């Protein structure tokens, strides 16, 4: 079986490398020629722990190669994984134009039976549209099947998640497609769950929205803690010990960001509304999340009163640790608002600076990108923590205090013990605890 992976972003690269590691012959293709040229030379365009090594090893073994010739790649493949983007559209729904583009390309190049696998996160019923598009545009009477195999990898641990998944959801409507996909995932066969296609598509949106809801729920509880003597970290611990609840995704903070939760939540709200289902539960989840940045900035203002011309250090620009991805990162909103207030920003992130520079170019009077946390802290009137990178947790706070103009920390991820930091002489604000 020859496998094509269309789209070499976070999901496509990991999927391609992972399937090659499972022993398959894979071609990764993308319409961005420059990207493919770089990857073919072994230059991996994203930061994802372990991905470089896995890709290079499998390229060396001859199991994976890359091409910008989408036509040839499709023609050569028996199974095609569509890993293109499904970004948020203007009305909140998923913008499906990349999926449509790929479907037409597949139709044009359908030179034999193929299974087209939706790896991208897509609204329930998308398979219907892919089938219709391919049928409308195909030039031959070759047969094909569409299948859904949503991806659950988490950026930052994507390689391990792909190679050792909790579950592999396979939505199919033919035995032929099912058998081919089961063979592809033979190495982790015990984790396969077979469903119909609508179910598989919905499992992905339902999972992401549930996790988003869990985060907004604990943030709502954090708001209650702020008005009482309760401590959100202890509330979360006490709740999480109940196995029906579980301790994961109960971390109060700046809220969720990234390329998945915000857009998938909005997409599911739109899907439900279009189908006439009341989606208020998820709308509130979204609303609570979008209020986090304001609440955080209010704390900063409480400490500094006027932000104009104040030097603010921001540590952590990516939406979470161990990734360079800044899509929908809470730091973006904070940077915008702080610039709007006239603050002078000193930014630092171990991996995401280059991506952030594209959005907010360096401008020595307003925005400086620093090479360490300490450099960012130097002469700052306050230090904001937006991502819980391990190196921030392990900072030498005595050194930080000596460098800062005012020893004020506003911690959006609750990474420090309030008593410890205050003992060192900091004014310390965090979320949901005194
Ligand atoms: P991405 O933007 O990093 O990558 C998408 C790639 O597709 C880009 O390289 C783009 O050039 C390419 N592309 C677009 N149109 C194309 C076409 N017609 N032909 C060939 N290539 C084309 O996106 P991503 O983060 O990898 O996400 C891809 C999908 O997977 C989305 O639906 C996303 O919701 C889903 N997903 C993402 C994650 C994650 O953590 N990033 C996890 C699970 C699922």
């Amino acid at each position: 079986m020859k496998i094509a992976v269309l789209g070499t972003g976070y999901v496509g690269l990991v999927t391609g490398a992972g399937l090659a590691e499972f022993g398959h012959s894979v071609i990764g293709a993308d319409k961005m020629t420059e990207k493919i040229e770089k990857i073919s030379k072994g230059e991996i365009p994203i930061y994802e722990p372990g991905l470089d090594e896995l890709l290079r090893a499998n390229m060396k073994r001859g199991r994976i190669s890359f091409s910008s010739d989408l036509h040839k790649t499709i023609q050569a493949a028996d199974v095609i994984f569509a890993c293109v983007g499904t970004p948020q559209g203007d009305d909140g729904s998923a913008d499906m134009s990349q999926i449509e583009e790929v479907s037409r390309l597949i139709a044009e190049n359908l030179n034999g039976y193929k299974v087209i696998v939706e790896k991208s996160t897509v609204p329930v019923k998308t398979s219907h549209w892919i089938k219709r598009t391919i049928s409308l545009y195909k030039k031959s009477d070759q047969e094909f099947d569409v299948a859904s195999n949503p991806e659950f990898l988490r950026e930052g641990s994507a390689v391990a998640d792909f190679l050792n998944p909790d579950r592999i959801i396979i939505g199919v409507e033919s035995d032929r497609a099912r058998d081919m996909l089961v063979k592809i995932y033979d190495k982790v066969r015990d984790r396969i769950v077979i469903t119909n296609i609508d179910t598989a598509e919905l499992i992905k949106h339902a999972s992401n929205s549930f996790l988003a809801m869990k985060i907004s729920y604990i943030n709502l509880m954090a708001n209650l803690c702020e008005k009482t003597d309760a401590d959100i970290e202890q509330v979360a611990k006490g709740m999480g010990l109940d196995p029906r609840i579980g301790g994961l995704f109960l971390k109060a903070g700046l809220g969720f960001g990234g390329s998945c939760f915000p857009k998938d939540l909005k997409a599911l709200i739109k899907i439900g509304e279009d189908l006439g289902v009341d989606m208020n539960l998820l709308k509130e989840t979204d609303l609570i999340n979008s209020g986090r940045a304001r609440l955080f900035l209010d704390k900063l203002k409480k400490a500094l009163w006027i932000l104009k011309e104040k030097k603010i250090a921001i540590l952590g620009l990516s939406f979470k640790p161990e990734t360079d991805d800044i899509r929908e990162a809470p730091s973006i909103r904070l940077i915008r608002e702080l610039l709007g207030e006239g603050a002078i920003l000193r930014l630092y992130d171990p991996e995401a600076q280059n991506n952030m520079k594209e959005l907010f170019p360096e401008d020595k009077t307003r925005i400086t990108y620093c090479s360490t946390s300490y450099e960012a802290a130097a002469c700052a009137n306050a230090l904001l923590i937006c991502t819980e990178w391990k190196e921030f947790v392990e900072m030498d706070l005595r050194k930080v205090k000596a460098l800062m103009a005012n020893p004020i920390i506003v911690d959006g991820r609750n990474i420090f013990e309030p008593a410890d930091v205050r003992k060192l002489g900091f004014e310390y604000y965090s979320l949901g605890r005194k």
Side-chain angles (χ1 to χ4, degrees), residues 6-13 29-32 35 46 70 82-87 97-99 101-102 105 119-122 150-155 204 208 259-260 263-264 319 325 327:
L6 304 186
T8 55
Y10 288 84
V11 168
L13 278 176
D30 202 289
K31 66 176 181 181
M32 288 176 72
K35 201 178 202 178
I46 54 170
L70 292 158
C83 300
V84 296
T86 50
S97 53
Q98 295 179 30
I99 293 281
E101 204 181 331
V102 157
L105 268 170
K119 195 60 155 159
S120 305
T121 303
V122 296
E151 183 48 59
F152 297 98
L153 63 79
R154 295 160 301 172
E155 285 176 20
K204 174 67 192 178
N208 274 5
S259 67
C260 293
K263 84 163 167 74
D264 292 348
F319 81 97
D325 198 347
R327 290 177 286 186

Side-chain angles (χ1 to χ4, degrees), residues 7-290:
T8 55
Y10 288 84
V11 168
L13 278 176
V14 175
T15 300
L19 292 175
E21 183 68 14
F22 286 159
H24 304 298
S25 164
V26 180
I27 307 176
D30 202 289
K31 66 176 181 181
M32 288 176 72
T33 316
E34 251 177 58
K35 201 178 202 178
I36 291 297
E37 278 167 8
K38 279 193 176 160
I39 300 170
S40 301
K41 282 190 252 162
E43 290 170 35
I44 311 307
I46 54 170
Y47 171 74
E48 183 57 50
L51 182 60
D52 275 43
E53 295 86 329
L54 193 71
L55 267 173
R56 287 212 196 96
N58 281 290
M59 282 161 92
K60 215 165 159 188
R61 285 177 184 147
R63 287 202 194 138
I64 185 165
S65 60
F66 291 90
S67 167
S68 49
D69 189 334
L70 292 158
H71 299 273
K72 275 196 189 148
T73 303
I74 293 167
Q75 286 164 17
D78 304 303
V79 180
I80 300 163
F81 283 79
C83 300
V84 296
T86 50
Q88 191 181 312
D90 294 338
D91 61 355
S93 63
D95 174 350
M96 299 302 287
S97 53
Q98 295 179 30
I99 293 281
E100 199 253 6
E101 204 181 331
V102 157
S103 307
R104 280 192 289 143
L105 268 170
I106 294 170
E108 274 176 46
N109 294 287
L110 199 68
N111 57 347
Y113 173 79
K114 295 181 197 297
V115 181
I116 295 98
V117 186
E118 304 166 348
K119 195 60 155 159
S120 305
T121 303
V122 296
V124 58
K125 289 272 168 231
T126 295
S127 73
H128 159 83
W129 286 107
I130 296 179
K131 270 186 271 175
R132 181 167 162 74
T133 307
I134 297 178
S135 301
L136 272 179
Y137 291 95
K138 70 176 185 168
K139 293 174 184 152
S140 66
D141 56 3
Q142 300 290 349
E143 287 182 17
F144 66 95
D145 272 308
V146 176
S148 166
N149 169 222
E151 183 48 59
F152 297 98
L153 63 79
R154 295 160 301 172
E155 285 176 20
S157 56
V159 169
D161 290 345
F162 191 92
L163 297 177
N164 187 18
D166 304 322
R167 77 283 210 202
I168 294 159
I169 305 292
I170 295 180
V172 276
E173 57 185 13
S174 86
D175 292 348
R176 192 174 180 186
R178 184 202 57 209
D179 292 348
M180 285 169 85
L181 278 159
V182 167
K183 207 167 158 194
I184 286 175
Y185 286 111
D186 189 48
K187 288 238 156 68
V188 279
R189 182 183 277 259
D190 55 322
R191 276 154 270 178
I192 292 178
V193 178
I194 307 275
T195 68
N196 68 26
I197 301 182
D198 281 10
T199 304
E201 288 170 340
L202 191 57
I203 285 172
K204 174 67 192 178
H205 266 135
S207 303
N208 274 5
S209 298
F210 186 83
L211 293 172
M213 193 174 71
K214 224 176 154 188
I215 295 172
S216 279
Y217 186 84
I218 202 68
N219 280 332
L220 176 66
M221 294 305 118
N223 290 351
L224 275 177
C225 289
E226 301 216 341
K227 306 282 179 197
T228 64
D229 281 333
D231 178 306
I232 193 60
E233 295 299 319
Q234 289 176 12
V235 170
K237 190 171 175 203
M239 285 172 64
L241 289 171
D242 182 336
R244 292 170 304 175
I245 297 174
L248 298 176
F249 281 76
L250 281 185
K251 188 85 188 128
L254 267 172
F256 54 82
S259 67
C260 293
F261 286 6
K263 84 163 167 74
D264 292 348
L265 179 68
K266 288 197 180 70
L268 189 55
I269 291 170
K270 189 70 174 54
I271 292 165
E273 285 181 340
D274 289 349
L275 294 170
V277 176
D278 182 340
M279 300 303 280
N280 275 329
L281 178 65
L282 296 187
K283 281 186 188 168
E284 287 303 324
T285 298
D286 190 30
L287 211 64
I288 292 169
N289 198 54
S290 45

